[in-house]
Amino acid sequence: MSLSTSPPTDEPRQLHEAIDSRDAIGQAKGILMERHRITGPQAFIVLSIASQHTHLKLWSVADYLINSGELPDRDTTH
């Protein structure tokens, strides 16, 4: 019986990053919902539009909002 050893995967790291991204997006949605009195889906749309306009990943937009209190614009990303 031969035991094959497969190379270690990045699954645990990727899972951790996915959870962190989801948490950041949820926090950012909460900030927008409270600040602008909008729903969760509406807040997600706001984040998505900011992501498209700035060419940043959605989690980067969320992280920027969490840390700065503002949505990034094209000038803040270059």
Side-chain angles (χ1 to χ4, degrees), residues 49-61:
I49 291 170
S51 173
Q52 292 171 0
H53 287 201
T54 59
H55 304 288
L56 293 172
K57 301 256 185 206
L58 189 66
W59 64 266
S60 293
V61 171

Side-chain angles (χ1 to χ4, degrees), residues 15-27 58-60 62:
L15 179 61
H16 183 68
E17 289 174 358
I19 291 169
D20 288 347
S21 294
R22 182 179 173 144
D23 287 348
I25 292 167
Q27 288 177 29
L58 189 66
W59 64 266
S60 293

Side-chain angles (χ1 to χ4, degrees), residues 34-67:
E34 173 64 24
R35 187 177 293 166
H36 301 289
R37 304 284 188 239
I38 59 177
T39 66
Q42 290 170 326
F44 187 82
I45 290 170
V46 170
L47 292 171
S48 297
I49 291 170
S51 173
Q52 292 171 0
H53 287 201
T54 59
H55 304 288
L56 293 172
K57 301 256 185 206
L58 189 66
W59 64 266
S60 293
V61 171
D63 189 58
Y64 188 91
L65 175 62
I66 292 165
N67 291 304

